[in-house]
């Protein structure tokens, strides 16, 4: 067992960012806010520092990290064979919640990408993330700052709950604006492939670079021994401790189904104004059914709340799967291990 270290939580300020940047330059790991979820960062060019990320998270050694850059032009430094479509995407969506997987440049150590010859690169928008990248003057490799498999953290408190005693510093930038992780698109092959949906939608991307395809792992469980384009997709993810069932159907039918099985130790995730339809259980209203931003913003915090309430099982209403909704739709299904019931 590694000894516990004291984890400080400091609001984003010139001083705390300077401290975080110094820690990063010295080869330490630091948690920091982004517009999507909190990241657990280390110097992307330092293999030993990057190894600490895997250790702190308990992350499988075959799940590659995203390299965060300060300016879109740095894509050229860490990726190879960058074509016109990549530049168009960077121009349209960076800084912002889009990750591009491209061929990896020699400058990026293999450990960042788990030996793959591709690398995920993202230029984040959040002011805290940008201040840290600028001050550190380095690319920062960062996965979400949760223990592997747990819901991604969208507040500093979530990070502390998972990583207290394991990392020296958490920069607190408040609740993340978006709330689900970045849209991931592979630009490494002849046809762009959507690997992970997020708030930047397929339609928005296709408006910039034309038709793309969608990885099958976005819509169904892939088995552990199957080779997939994005290794992260095969693991159970975003999962609360309780077994979760997603209920796909109209409100009346869903409520009838859920009320049949629920008891006081059941968590129920529904949309705004629906709580009264459930006769028993711990009910959380995620937000208006037609507001993808609200649903995304609140999802992971809600899943973590169910853990704190110590519920034994969770039922969740399913949202739409078009446009900006497909990120939260995908995370709901993944949190339930694709256990989706149609009523
Ligand atoms: O919004 C985000 O992307 C957040 C913040 C911190 O930037 N980061 C994040 O990282 O969600 P992580 O490690 O939790 O998820 C990265 C995803 C994984 O599914 C991983 O498999 C995929 O991106 N990925 C990273 N590099 C890849 C590569 N070279 N090829 C394919 N997939 C890759
Ligand atoms: Mg993650």
């Amino acid at each position: 067992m590694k000894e516990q270290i004291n984890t400080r939580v400091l609001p984003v300020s010139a001083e705390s960012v300077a401290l975080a940047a110094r820690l990063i330059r010295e080869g330490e790991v630091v948690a920091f806010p982004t517009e999507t979820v909190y990241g657990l960062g280390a110097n992307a060019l330092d293999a030993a520092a990057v190894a600490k990320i895997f250790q702190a998270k308990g992350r499988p050694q075959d799940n590659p990290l995203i390299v965060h850059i300060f300016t879109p032009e740095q894509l050229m430094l860490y990726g190879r064979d960058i074509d016109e479509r990549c530049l168009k995407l960077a121009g349209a969506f960076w800084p912002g919640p889009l990750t591009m997987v491209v061929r990896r440049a020699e400058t990026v150590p293999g450990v960042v990408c788990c030996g793959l010859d591709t690398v995920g690169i993202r230029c984040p928008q959040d002011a805290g993330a940008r201040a840290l990248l600028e001050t550190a003057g380095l690319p920062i490799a960062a996965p979400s700052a949760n223990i592997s498999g747990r819901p991604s953290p969208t507040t500093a408190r979530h990070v502390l709950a998972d990583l207290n005693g394991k990392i020296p510093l958490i920069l607190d930038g408040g609740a993340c604006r978006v709330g689900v992780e970045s849209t991931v698109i592979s630009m490494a092959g002849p046809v762009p492939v959507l690997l992970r949906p997020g708030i930047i939608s397929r339609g928005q991307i296709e408006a910039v670079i034309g038709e793309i395809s969608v990885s099958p792992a976005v819509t169904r469980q892939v088995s552990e021994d199957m080779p997939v384009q994005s290794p992260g997709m095969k693991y159970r993810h975003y999962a609360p401790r309780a077994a979760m069932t997603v209920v796909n159907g109209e409100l009346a039918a869903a409520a009838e189904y859920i009320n049949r099985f629920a008891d006081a130790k059941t968590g129920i995730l529904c949309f705004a104004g629906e709580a009264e339809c459930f006769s028993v259980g711990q009910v959380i209203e995620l937000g208006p059914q037609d507001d993808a931003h609200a649903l995304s913003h609140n999802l992971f915090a809600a899943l973590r709340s169910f853990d704190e309430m110590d519920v034994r099982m969770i039922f969740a209403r399913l949202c739409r799967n078009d446009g900006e909704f497909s990120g939260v739709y995908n995370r709901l299904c993944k949190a339930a291990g694709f256990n989706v019931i149609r009523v």
Side-chain angles (χ1 to χ4, degrees):
M1 271 306 285
K2 225 185 143 215
E3 76 182 81
Q4 292 263 309
I5 54 177
N6 179 32
T7 302
R8 298 174 72 187
V9 182
L10 299 175
V12 171
S13 70
E15 295 74 40
S16 65
V17 167
L19 172 62
R22 202 187 76 216
L23 287 166
I24 296 275
R25 281 198 301 265
E26 288 170 353
E28 272 306 325
V29 294
V30 169
F32 64 99
T34 82
E35 69 277 22
T36 56
V37 302
Y38 275 74
L40 182 61
N43 176 359
L45 306 180
D46 177 345
V50 169
K52 291 183 185 174
I53 295 176
F54 287 89
Q55 199 191 1
K57 277 187 61 108
R59 183 172 175 106
Q61 296 289 336
D62 65 349
N63 192 2
L65 308 180
I66 293 170
V67 174
H68 296 70
I69 54 177
F70 179 58
T71 64
E73 296 72 42
Q74 290 169 329
L75 174 61
M76 301 299 196
L77 295 177
Y78 309 115
R80 282 189 292 134
D81 304 345
I82 305 301
D83 65 18
E84 194 57 36
R85 297 169 310 177
C86 297
L87 299 180
K88 280 188 179 165
L89 288 177
F93 301 112
W94 281 356
L98 178 77
T99 297
M100 277 190 255
V101 172
V102 296
R103 308 273 312 280
R104 170 166 66 101
E106 297 288 312
T107 43
V108 180
V111 59
V112 172
C113 313
C114 306
L116 297 176
D117 75 343
T118 56
V119 57
I121 300 182
R122 168 161 121 79
C123 178
Q125 189 174 50
D126 175 84
R130 299 198 58 71
L132 177 61
L133 284 163
E134 183 172 29
T135 310
L138 290 165
I140 296 181
S144 50
N146 50 286
I147 294 289
S148 226
R150 299 265 300 132
S152 291
T154 55
T155 66
R157 191 175 64 85
H158 296 161
V159 180
L160 192 67
D162 279 14
L163 297 176
N164 192 13
K166 295 186 170 163
I167 61 174
L169 178 62
I170 301 169
L171 284 182
D172 184 352
C176 299
R177 178 175 62 80
V178 175
V180 300
E181 305 86 344
S182 60
T183 304
V184 179
I185 183 164
S186 172
M187 302 302 292
V191 178
V193 184
L194 185 77
L195 300 179
R196 182 174 72 182
I199 201 77
I200 293 178
S201 68
R202 177 183 185 173
Q204 281 177 285
I205 291 171
E206 290 186 328
V208 176
I209 56 168
E211 206 180 327
I212 66 172
S213 70
V214 178
S215 166
V218 169
T219 46
R220 61 180 168 79
Q221 186 70 55
V222 290
S223 74
E224 297 250 330
D225 48 7
M226 203 172 125
V228 287
Q229 277 168 309
S230 188
M233 295 189 299
K234 71 187 176 188
Y235 298 103
R236 182 163 186 243
H237 250 148
Y238 321 116
R241 291 192 189 92
M244 182 162 153
T245 303
V246 168
V247 183
N248 181 10
E250 295 302 317
L251 172 61
E256 204 240 340
Y257 179 87
I258 292 168
N259 285 333
R260 233 187 302 148
F261 294 102
D263 61 24
K265 284 277 185 189
T266 301
I268 299 169
L269 194 56
C270 62
F271 302 118
E274 297 181 355
E276 62 191 25
C277 301
F278 300 96
S279 47
V280 62
Q282 308 284 331
V283 183
I284 297 179
E285 293 185 347
L286 201 52
Q289 187 164 8
D290 58 358
D291 184 344
H293 289 262
L295 302 179
S296 302
H297 182 79
N298 298 330
L299 177 65
F300 288 136
L303 295 179
R304 281 178 179 262
S305 300
F306 284 135
D307 282 345
E308 284 163 16
M309 296 169 189
D310 200 27
V311 302
R312 301 289 149 77
M313 58 181 176
I314 299 169
F315 290 104
R317 295 252 289 132
L318 188 57
C319 67
R320 289 157 51 180
N321 188 21
D322 58 307
E324 296 177 319
F325 290 86
S326 60
V328 61
Y329 177 100
N330 168 263
R331 302 314 186 277
L332 276 168
C333 294
K334 291 209 75 170
F338 290 95
N339 175 26
V340 182
I341 282 175
R342 167 106 227 158
V343 293

